[in-house]
């Protein structure tokens, strides 16, 4: 597992190196004096408000997970879920993808539930995240917002196409989720038998993922729960969009034109770029945001670079200090938690039966 991880990191590093080279090759006139001057003139008030909004989004994520737990742990409190949420996102920021499993692993330990059941909730959470962001993005695209008047008139028609694709993606995920909810065990059994001949228990592992997802959908135990989860998800991404806007406003007149609908484009760019990330360093999200600021909003090289980096620090890294403090108070090692969660995931994949709720 370790060798595969290091190989993946090497590939990501190589891709990021090429992207950085291509980006900065076009910046021959980059003025570092202007870059640092803009950084020194930032508004502390807007930055503090942005960080406060990001921390509030973590509270909302804890509230959403409490709704997931309601069928099996009614006594679970949102306040009790905040520490594992903060520690989990700290692990993600410092360790990259291996740190993603820390949050469901910690919640499983705290609530005395199986890791598989919380991985199932985590998988369903991803769908609500995609859906919540899509609702805001589609509203920004198709309602009469200022996205229709971007500096480059060719951008808006492409955004409309992207909006239809997002709607199609969410509709497809909804159909898949509905089928798994109704025929999950039958689908898992078919996959397991159909691909049983492949190496490394591939069929069984995929079947277990389907069973996990099927179990995760059981957390949506009523139409009211679905509405609550949907509402919290949309509100969470709205809060994150407001945090992005506060960071933009920190630059004063240079980016005061960045409305919520416009920063949603930056959020989408950052989400796509985050698919290529190095642990503790990032890379892909910053480059994607910088590119969007430069090519969509015609920001200068210096302003785009400064804002792109600051957005990453505020929305992704500011959780680290309090997350490390909480981990230290509870005598937890992020690396050990990451290893334990990976081992638990491996055991779940080889489990002969569906995960317990």
């Amino acid at each position: 597992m370790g060798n595969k991880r290091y190989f993946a990191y090497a590939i990501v590093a190589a891709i990021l190196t090429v992207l950085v080279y291509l980006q900065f090759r076009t910046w021959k006139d980059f003025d570092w004096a202007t870059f640092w001057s803009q950084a020194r003139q930032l508004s502390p008030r807007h930055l503090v408000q942005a960080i406060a909004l990001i921390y509030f989004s973590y509270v909302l994520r804890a509230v959403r997970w409490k709704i997931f737990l309601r069928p099996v742990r009614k006594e679970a409190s949102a306040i009790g879920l905040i520490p594992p949420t903060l520690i989990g996102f700290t692990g993600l920021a410092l360790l990259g993808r291996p740190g993603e499993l820390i949050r469901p692993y910690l919640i499983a330990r705290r609530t005395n539930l199986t890791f598989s059941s919380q991985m199932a909730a985590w998988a369903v959470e991803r769908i609500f995240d995609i859906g919540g962001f899509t609702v805001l993005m589609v509203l920004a695209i198709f309602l009469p917002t200022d996205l229709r008047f971007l500096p480059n008139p060719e951008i808006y028609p492409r955004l409309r196409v992207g909006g239809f694709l997002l709607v199609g993606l969410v509709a497809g995920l909804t159909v898949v989720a509905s089928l798994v909810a109704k025929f999950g065990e039958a689908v898992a059994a078919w996959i397991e038998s159909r691909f049983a001949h492949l190496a490394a228990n591939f069929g069984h592992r995929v079947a277990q993922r389907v069973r996990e997802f099927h179990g995760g959908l059981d957390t949506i135990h009523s139409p009211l729960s679905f509405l609550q989860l949907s509402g919290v998800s949309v509100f969470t991404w709205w809060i994150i969009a407001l945090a992005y806007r506060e960071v933009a406003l920190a630059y004063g007149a240079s980016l005061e034109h960045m409305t919520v609908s416009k920063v949603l484009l930056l959020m989408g760019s950052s989400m796509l770029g985050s698919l290529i990330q190095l642990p503790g360093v990032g890379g892909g999200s910053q480059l994607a945001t910088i590119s969007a600021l430069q090519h969509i909003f015609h920001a200068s090289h210096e302003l785009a670079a400064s804002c792109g980096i600051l957005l990453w620090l505020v929305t992704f890294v500011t959780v680290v200090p309090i997350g490390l403090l909480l981990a230290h108070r509870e005598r937890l090692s992020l690396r050990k938690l990451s290893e334990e969660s990976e081992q638990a995931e491996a055991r779940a994949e080889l489990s002969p039966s569906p995960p317990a709720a």
Side-chain angles (χ1 to χ4, degrees):
M1 181 67 72
N3 291 334
K4 291 181 180 179
R5 184 188 302 175
Y6 292 135
F7 178 73
Y9 289 165
I11 296 296
V12 171
I15 294 174
L16 287 176
T17 300
V18 173
L19 291 176
V20 170
Y21 171 75
L22 293 175
Q23 182 72 66
F24 282 89
R25 189 179 64 174
T26 64
W27 290 5
K28 295 179 181 179
D29 58 341
F30 192 89
D31 188 347
W32 284 102
T34 300
F35 176 86
W36 292 117
S37 175
Q38 290 172 337
R40 287 192 295 270
Q41 295 174 10
L42 289 169
S43 165
R45 177 174 65 88
H46 286 295
L47 291 180
V48 170
Q49 289 174 176
I51 294 171
L53 287 167
I54 289 299
Y55 271 93
F56 182 48
S57 73
Y58 294 130
V59 174
L60 291 174
R61 289 182 179 277
V63 170
R64 182 170 59 182
W65 208 292
K66 170 182 165 52
I67 300 173
F68 285 136
L69 290 175
R70 190 180 294 159
V72 290
R73 290 291 184 271
K74 291 183 179 181
E75 71 280 5
S77 68
I79 294 177
L81 294 172
I82 292 175
T85 299
L86 296 174
I87 294 171
F89 276 99
T90 298
L92 176 61
L94 296 179
L95 303 177
R97 297 304 175 198
E100 272 193 321
L101 304 181
I102 290 177
R103 183 162 54 113
Y105 180 72
L106 278 177
I107 293 175
R109 288 202 333 190
R110 289 189 174 219
T111 57
N112 196 28
L113 293 168
T114 64
F115 177 63
S116 294
S117 69
Q118 298 314 291
M119 279 296 294
W122 177 82
V124 175
E125 182 192 51
R126 300 279 71 76
I127 292 182
F128 279 99
D129 274 333
I130 294 172
F133 175 77
T134 296
V135 168
L136 294 177
M137 192 73 253
V138 167
L139 289 176
I141 292 173
F142 293 106
L143 290 181
T145 65
D146 51 8
L147 289 185
R148 298 171 182 265
F149 309 104
L150 292 172
N152 187 343
E154 297 179 358
I155 296 294
Y156 184 69
R158 298 175 185 176
L159 287 179
R160 286 179 60 88
V161 173
F164 285 120
L165 291 175
L166 278 174
V167 172
L169 172 63
V170 173
L173 290 174
T174 302
V175 170
V176 170
S178 300
L179 291 174
V180 171
K182 190 171 184 180
F183 307 108
E185 184 55 39
V187 172
W190 180 85
I191 291 175
E192 197 163 17
S193 61
R194 177 66 178 81
F195 299 100
H197 63 283
L198 297 180
N201 296 312
F202 177 78
H204 181 72
R205 291 162 62 189
V206 174
Q208 286 297 91
R209 292 297 190 194
V210 173
R211 292 188 179 106
E212 285 181 1
F213 187 52
H214 175 68
L217 292 171
D218 290 339
T219 60
I220 310 172
H221 55 285
S222 69
L224 178 61
S225 294
F226 176 79
L227 291 176
Q228 290 174 333
L229 290 167
S230 300
V232 172
S233 299
V234 173
F235 188 45
T236 299
W237 284 101
W238 174 258
I239 291 298
I240 295 172
L242 292 179
Y244 266 69
R245 185 168 184 266
E246 287 297 325
V247 173
L249 293 177
Y251 286 89
S254 301
L255 290 176
E256 65 181 1
H257 61 88
M258 296 296 293
T259 60
V260 171
S261 59
K262 289 180 178 179
V263 299
L264 284 168
L265 290 183
L266 295 184
M267 292 167 61
S269 300
S270 177
M271 291 164 68
L272 290 174
S274 66
L275 298 175
I276 306 174
Q277 295 282 91
L278 283 175
V281 177
S285 60
Q286 299 97 304
L287 287 173
T289 305
I290 290 169
S291 180
L293 283 165
Q294 182 184 358
H295 296 104
I296 298 178
F297 301 106
H298 293 180
S300 66
H301 301 329
E302 297 81 9
L303 180 60
S306 177
C307 187
I309 293 171
L310 187 60
L311 281 170
W312 174 72
L313 290 173
V314 168
T315 61
F316 196 66
V317 181
T318 52
V319 69
V320 170
I322 192 169
L324 289 177
L325 181 64
L326 289 170
H328 176 73
R329 190 186 69 176
E330 299 184 20
R331 301 181 184 278
L332 297 172
S333 164
L334 293 180
R335 290 196 177 278
K336 186 176 180 180
L337 286 173
S338 177
E339 293 171 359
E340 291 176 355
S341 62
E342 286 187 347
Q343 293 169 3
E345 182 186 31
R347 289 194 297 269
E349 288 179 348
L350 297 176
S351 173
S353 59

